[in-house]
Amino acid sequence: MKTTRRIVAAMLSVLMLGAAFTGCGNEPAAPTTNDPSSAPVENNPTPDNGGDKETDDGKLKVGFAQIGQESGWRDAETASIQFYAGQNVDTIDFKFADAQAKQENQIKAIKSFIDMDVDVIGLAPVVETGWDAVFTEAKDAGIPIVLVDRMADVPEDLYATFIGSDFIEEGKNAADEMAKLLGNKGKIVQLEGTVGASAANDRKKGFEDQMAAEYPDIEIIASQTGDFTRAKGKEVMESFLKTYGADIKGVYGHNDDMVLGAIEAIKEAGLKPGTDVVTVSCDGVKGIFEAMVAGEANVTVECNPLLGPIFFETCQKLKDGEAVEKWVKSEEGIYRQDTAAEDIKTRVY
Ligand code: GZL
């Protein structure tokens, strides 16, 4: 009875879910591009067995609620996760939901994964708040939650671990790099990430705290969200340039994609990106390396999106009842224009 009820509930919730559900099954195409379509997915909107774990085939059952496709970084992360699942279809039963950047879709997906009785739920929380209720449902169902690449503002007992970067450290490093480029003085603008996202909140905090503490002659004259997208980053930079023009000596973007948009705006305003207006951003995607090679960008603070292997290894540990660290921290570097022509040869996202 319980199994049937769960299958029906899972089917209903999947039908209601606005997000796209996919499962892995095809032979994997190696993720050589940021395009998630290169990843091995097939449309498999219903669970192949929504039954209890006791009746399942012993596979690791994982549901992942992804944010969407707002940036090249996000696409690289999706490709890494889907590629790993596609390489391990014999041992992993994987359900993927693309929430189209809406928290309510992520919440619906989590509820569906609970109804499917998965072993572990993975989530990249689009924003930090609003998760307590659905995380409590997962906890009550005995299903651990793994936070990937963004934090959620919940009590520690509501998630198993966070796999991701130290965004405050990234912001601090970005401030030090900006100061080096400016000779410790000048007016700059800031392109912020998605409002409420932990990556945006902490990259802002790390950057601004370091600026206030160490670089009093650098002034942030404007700061606005570009929602982590290239298009919005360009639009916001256009408005900054209309207001402040050549007074702007530097732009700090919470991700590379927004700065790539800003570079277009800087050129259209008749200024030289990388010299008239220096750039510092986070992620380390291929496009920013190309811009640095072209002399149009200056620094990127790497943020590793290739989290597929560590994500599934962590899920397996949780299924096997093994202890996991509360924060599985990504190791990452800082890349500058002067070595970009060499560095780009070994970049994989
Ligand atoms: C960082 C991640 C951020 C990236 C952006 O872990 O959450 O979201 O920096 C992406 O490119 O949109």
Side-chain angles (χ1 to χ4, degrees):
M1 188 52 190
K2 184 181 170 197
T3 304
T4 311
R5 195 174 63 244
R6 279 193 165 158
I7 291 175
V8 171
M11 299 280 278
L12 284 173
S13 53
V14 166
L15 289 173
M16 288 182 310
L17 183 61
F21 261 90
T22 55
C24 278
N26 301 339
E27 264 311 301
T32 52
T33 72
N34 286 339
D35 174 2
S37 63
S38 73
V41 292
E42 65 186 15
N43 197 348
N44 177 13
T46 54
D48 27 23
N49 69 349
D52 298 338
K53 294 190 184 73
E54 297 72 51
T55 61
D56 76 10
D57 48 14
K59 287 186 177 182
L60 172 64
K61 294 178 67 179
V62 175
F64 189 82
Q66 181 56 293
I67 293 172
Q69 300 179 41
E70 77 282 0
S71 66
W73 189 97
R74 181 70 48 202
D75 291 345
E77 181 187 70
T78 294
S80 173
I81 289 172
Q82 291 182 334
F83 178 73
Y84 189 97
Q87 288 268 45
N88 295 279
V89 288
D90 296 341
T91 54
I92 296 174
D93 176 2
F94 181 53
K95 299 286 175 276
F96 179 84
D98 176 330
Q100 318 287 314
K102 292 187 173 66
Q103 181 176 30
E104 66 263 24
N105 282 344
Q106 288 192 301
I107 291 172
K108 282 180 193 167
I110 292 169
K111 288 173 181 283
S112 299
F113 296 146
I114 293 169
D115 290 336
M116 292 176 197
D117 199 20
V118 298
D119 296 307
V120 184
I121 293 171
L123 168 75
V126 60
V127 293
E128 282 196 275
T129 55
W131 301 103
D132 294 64
V134 74
F135 281 22
T136 301
E137 283 182 42
K139 183 181 180 188
D140 291 348
I143 302 174
I145 287 185
V146 174
L147 299 176
V148 178
D149 96 69
R150 291 199 186 164
M151 265 305 275
D153 181 13
V154 294
E156 281 209 350
D157 67 316
L158 289 184
Y159 70 94
T161 181
F162 166 57
I163 300 173
S165 305
D166 183 340
F167 303 123
I168 290 181
E169 183 69 19
E170 291 175 349
K172 176 186 173 301
N173 290 335
D176 292 337
E177 294 298 318
M178 180 63 81
K180 276 189 251 176
L181 290 165
L182 294 175
N184 295 350
K185 65 182 180 307
K187 295 180 191 296
I188 65 172
V189 295
Q190 180 176 206
L191 298 170
E192 301 183 21
T194 301
V195 175
S198 64
N201 293 340
D202 288 352
R203 283 172 182 164
K204 177 184 177 74
K205 174 173 175 49
F207 186 84
E208 293 181 353
D209 287 355
Q210 184 67 355
M211 280 297 175
E214 301 295 335
Y215 309 110
D217 295 331
I218 295 177
E219 183 188 358
I220 303 172
I221 55 176
S223 189
Q224 189 179 325
T225 181
D227 205 16
F228 282 133
T229 71
R230 184 172 183 148
K232 194 87 172 100
K234 179 179 181 182
E235 186 186 309
V236 172
M237 191 67 190
E238 283 166 348
S239 71
F240 288 163
L241 288 161
K242 278 199 182 76
T243 306
Y244 300 103
D247 284 351
I248 300 173
K249 300 303 178 194
V251 53
Y252 165 52
H254 292 179
N255 79 340
D256 295 336
D257 282 52
M258 292 189 292
V259 160
L260 290 169
I263 287 168
E264 291 172 40
I266 293 164
K267 288 196 276 191
E268 289 169 12
L271 297 170
K272 291 195 187 72
T275 45
D276 296 333
V277 184
V278 296
T279 76
V280 178
S281 50
C282 300
D283 281 353
V285 296
K286 182 72 65 84
I288 205 69
F289 281 88
E290 290 162 349
M292 287 196 284
V293 170
E296 295 180 346
N298 301 90
V299 175
T300 185
V301 176
E302 185 184 33
C303 175
N304 179 13
L306 306 179
L307 301 176
I310 187 63
F311 170 64
F312 285 106
E313 286 157 19
T314 302
C315 292
Q316 188 63 58
K317 282 184 179 176
L318 289 167
K319 178 178 182 181
D320 297 344
E322 291 178 32
V324 297
E325 299 287 320
K326 204 67 185 173
W327 182 2
V328 179
K329 195 171 169 184
S330 306
E331 295 306 319
E332 40 219 25
I334 300 173
Y335 294 88
R336 302 173 182 88
Q337 190 185 99
D338 60 349
T339 60
E342 268 312 297
D343 297 331
I344 196 169
K345 295 174 186 169
T346 56
R347 300 300 295 173
V348 291
Y349 68 90

